[in-house]
């Protein structure tokens, strides 16, 4: 059994959470490049020096934001991989955390310029992909490894494409899209291995 965290550990975690909350707000407003450490400090009501006690640099803050988003997505994936919720999410009937979606798009853009952020994104994708593969294996043990990986890749394209498409006005009704996504997912997960 894990020991209870000390008051000092709890305070450290609380400060990190405050910094992450401030950083998320600043990054959403200004982007990663334009958001300065001074802006983050002001938003968190801390000094820049205090922020450096908790995070070595802006990339470390980005890394923690990405880790938290991916952890949340993995938890959601474990609950909703092949349920009616997934087509509803894809069809925009149910909207996931829009800040998370926007921040991950920001991460993807930053990854084209910053090798460290590119490595973070690759690690996040690796974690999500392997978690999804494990989840689909549990739900469809009859599928070959190759089929499972292909199904997860198609799911990733649909989910990530949907995140990008949310930046534009939806061109079809959510209800109609949900039906189509449900049909696509049923076909994707048919028992017959092609």
């Amino acid at each position: 059994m894990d020991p209870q965290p000390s008051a000092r550990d709890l305070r450290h975690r609380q400060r990190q959470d405050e910094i992450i909350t401030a950083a998320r707000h600043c990054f959403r407003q200004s982007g990663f490049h334009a958001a300065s450490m001074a802006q983050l400090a002001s938003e968190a009501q801390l000094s820049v020096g205090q922020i450096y006690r908790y995070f070595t640099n802006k990339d470390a803050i980005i890394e923690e934001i990405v880790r938290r988003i991916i952890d949340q997505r993995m938890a959601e994936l474990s609950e909703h991989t092949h349920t009616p919720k997934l087509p509803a999410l894809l069809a925009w009937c149910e909207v996931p955390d829009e800040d998370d979606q926007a921040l991950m798009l920001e991460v993807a853009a930053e990854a084209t310029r910053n090798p460290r952020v590119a490595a973070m994104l690759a690690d996040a994708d690796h974690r999500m992909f392997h978690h999804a593969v494990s989840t689909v294996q549990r739900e469809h043990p009859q599928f070959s490894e190759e089929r499972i990986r292909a199904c997860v890749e198609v799911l990733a394209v649909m989910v990530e494409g949907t995140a990008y498409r949310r930046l534009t006005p939806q061109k079809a009704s959510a209800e109609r899209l949900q039906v189509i996504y449900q049909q696509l997912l049923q076909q994707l997960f048919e028992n017959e291995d092609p």
Side-chain angles (χ1 to χ4, degrees):
M1 192 156 95
D2 291 333
Q4 290 293 328
S6 69
R8 185 172 188 251
D9 290 340
L10 290 173
R11 181 70 183 139
H12 184 84
R13 176 64 182 200
Q14 181 183 356
R15 277 285 194 220
Q16 282 184 321
D17 290 346
E18 291 167 358
I19 293 166
I20 292 298
T21 299
R24 287 175 61 99
H25 182 258
C26 292
F27 293 156
R28 282 281 285 133
Q29 274 191 322
S30 306
F32 292 137
H33 272 299
S36 67
M37 290 302 275
Q39 184 183 1
L40 291 171
S42 175
E43 182 73 25
Q45 298 179 342
L46 298 169
S47 71
V48 172
Q50 286 175 304
I51 290 179
Y52 284 124
R53 288 184 195 154
Y54 298 95
F55 296 98
T56 55
N57 55 33
K58 198 186 322 183
D59 284 353
I61 296 170
I62 295 168
E63 187 168 16
E64 180 61 16
I65 290 171
V66 170
R67 186 193 63 75
R68 290 180 184 198
I69 291 171
I70 296 304
D71 287 350
Q72 177 64 32
R73 287 183 176 178
M74 286 171 42
E76 289 170 0
L77 179 65
S78 293
E79 295 173 21
H80 307 295
T81 302
H82 196 197
T83 67
K85 186 169 183 168
L86 186 56
L89 286 170
L90 291 169
W92 306 3
C93 294
E94 296 181 27
V95 179
D97 188 321
E98 289 185 30
D99 278 346
D100 285 358
Q101 298 281 28
L103 285 167
M104 289 307 289
L105 288 171
E106 216 25 80
V107 169
E110 181 67 13
T112 66
R113 299 178 288 269
N114 182 331
R116 175 139 185 231
V117 175
M120 287 177 213
L121 190 59
D123 180 61
D125 181 72
H126 178 80
R127 287 178 58 216
M128 273 297 292
F129 190 86
H130 286 284
H131 182 74
V133 164
S134 296
T135 303
V136 173
Q137 280 175 327
R138 278 193 308 275
E139 293 179 5
H140 300 280
Q142 74 280 15
F143 286 178
S144 68
E145 175 76 18
E146 182 181 4
R147 167 98 186 264
I148 290 170
R149 294 177 71 79
C151 288
V152 169
E153 186 63 30
V154 169
L155 283 173
V157 168
M158 286 195 301
V159 169
E160 291 168 15
T162 298
Y164 177 76
R165 294 294 298 163
R166 285 183 196 271
L167 298 174
T168 65
Q170 191 160 340
K171 313 296 189 290
S173 75
E175 294 77 21
R176 183 65 184 139
L177 287 171
Q178 185 173 355
V179 169
I180 292 171
Y181 280 123
Q182 183 63 48
Q183 291 168 346
L184 289 170
L185 290 170
Q186 284 172 345
Q187 186 173 9
L188 186 65
F189 290 106
E190 282 179 350
N191 284 331
E192 192 177 320
D193 209 348

